[in-house]
Amino acid sequence: PNTNTIIDAHIFANDFFVGTIELPGSVPILEEGPTRITIGAGIRNNGISSDRIIYPFYKFLETNIDLKPGVVSPISEDSIARFQYFSAGDGGQLKILFEGFENIGNVWEPSQIDGKAIINTSNSEEVLSGSSSGKIVLDDEFPVFEVYSQEPEWDLSDITPGFTVYLELDYRGNNPIEIGIRTRNPSVRKIFALGLNPTDKWTKVYVELTNEIGQGQTNDFQIYLQAVKTTSDEQAIIYLDNMKVVYPG
């Protein structure tokens, strides 16, 4: 499933920048008559409200609209702008590694810290999309969790340091969770990327890993997830779904 959190529209009319608006919304355009409208999908980079960018892996939406003075013209018949990932035909083919927790097991392998794993839950009250989501449960007896992405499902060896890389995910839970990379060669080290705060609503986040992979200076690495129980609740529970690594392929 292609979930998204597109919050802004960066709008161009006949290749001239008109403005950026928060969605849903409208923008005044001085052009009249047949006009080529181009829209870039705006996101919160790393979930940060002050870091709003055009997501580099969504194609710009292009359409032609006959603009009339004083008339609000919808971008489509239902006024919804739909964005898609770049594909080979667009000259910008992407590689997308996906984990939706729909199969037996998942791509996340427990570390040696405590051996706790992400389990697949099919409880309808815990699932965002499809038939299953990932679930992490911590308590006072087992308060620490750490997993690494595994090959061959998520083989990251063809990622070139310096190229743009994102981890997309949907999450919710009552406890923070940490995301980063773990290099394996020439040395083993963890590089922190982002911490996600508790939220009781499913939230889509675009985590940029470009700088962390560049710091690692290697393509022999894994993505790690880590959590330590800090909530005063009896259990710390974190749900994950629709996880994607997206990069030029």
Side-chain angles (χ1 to χ4, degrees):
N2 288 326
T3 59
N4 68 73
T5 304
I6 298 170
I7 58 167
D8 295 326
H10 301 259
I11 302 172
F12 300 78
N14 291 332
D15 298 328
F16 289 96
F17 179 63
V18 175
T20 298
I21 60 170
E22 188 166 330
L23 297 174
S26 60
V27 62
I29 297 177
L30 299 180
E31 302 283 342
E32 295 182 21
T35 304
R36 185 174 65 257
I37 302 296
T38 308
I39 303 175
I43 64 163
R44 294 186 183 95
N45 203 38
N46 293 316
I48 300 172
S49 296
S50 60
D51 189 7
R52 299 163 87 128
I53 66 167
I54 296 176
Y55 190 48
F57 297 140
Y58 288 149
K59 291 189 293 185
F60 278 74
L61 174 63
E62 296 185 1
T63 188
N64 291 294
I65 299 178
D66 188 9
L67 297 177
K68 296 179 175 59
V71 176
V72 178
S73 302
I75 194 64
S76 63
E77 290 185 0
D78 58 5
S79 298
I80 296 176
R82 293 176 173 84
F83 296 91
Q84 297 178 330
Y85 291 103
F86 281 102
S87 61
D90 308 306
Q93 186 172 6
L94 301 177
K95 189 163 185 179
I96 301 177
L97 307 178
F98 181 71
E99 175 58 74
F101 304 97
E102 299 295 319
N103 301 315
I104 297 174
N106 55 67
V107 72
W108 299 103
E109 183 74 18
S111 74
Q112 299 303 314
I113 290 179
D114 63 5
K116 288 192 73 67
I118 300 178
I119 61 174
N120 296 4
T121 175
S122 57
N123 183 333
S124 60
E125 295 182 356
E126 300 176 330
V127 174
L128 173 62
S129 57
S131 60
S132 300
S133 292
K135 181 178 181 180
I136 303 161
V137 180
L138 303 175
D139 54 30
D140 292 337
E141 183 179 1
F142 298 101
V144 180
F145 158 86
E146 184 178 63
V147 293
Y148 307 137
S149 61
Q150 294 296 307
E151 298 90 355
E153 294 85 0
W154 279 19
D155 182 357
L156 308 176
S157 62
D158 59 346
I159 293 178
T160 302
F163 281 45
T164 302
V165 181
Y166 274 85
L167 172 68
E168 299 182 21
L169 71 150
D170 294 291
Y171 84 101
R172 71 177 175 93
N174 63 351
N175 198 85
I177 185 169
E178 177 181 313
I179 299 168
I181 71 164
R182 175 181 181 265
T183 66
R184 295 182 294 194
N185 184 47
S187 62
V188 176
R189 65 179 177 131
K190 289 167 59 180
I191 302 174
F192 170 82
L194 184 67
L196 300 177
N197 292 321
T199 174
D200 59 0
K201 296 181 179 179
W202 281 104
T203 302
K204 171 86 173 193
V205 181
Y206 301 82
V207 183
E208 185 175 5
L209 298 174
T210 309
N211 291 336
E212 290 71 28
I213 294 170
Q215 292 174 32
Q217 297 184 333
T218 179
N219 60 359
D220 187 2
F221 70 94
Q222 302 160 290
I223 297 172
Y224 79 81
L225 308 175
Q226 180 176 310
V228 177
K229 182 179 181 293
T230 58
T231 178
S232 59
D233 295 345
E234 183 177 347
Q235 291 183 320
I237 303 178
I238 302 167
Y239 300 98
L240 303 169
D241 211 342
N242 301 315
M243 306 189 77
K244 300 177 185 177
V245 182
V246 188
Y247 59 97

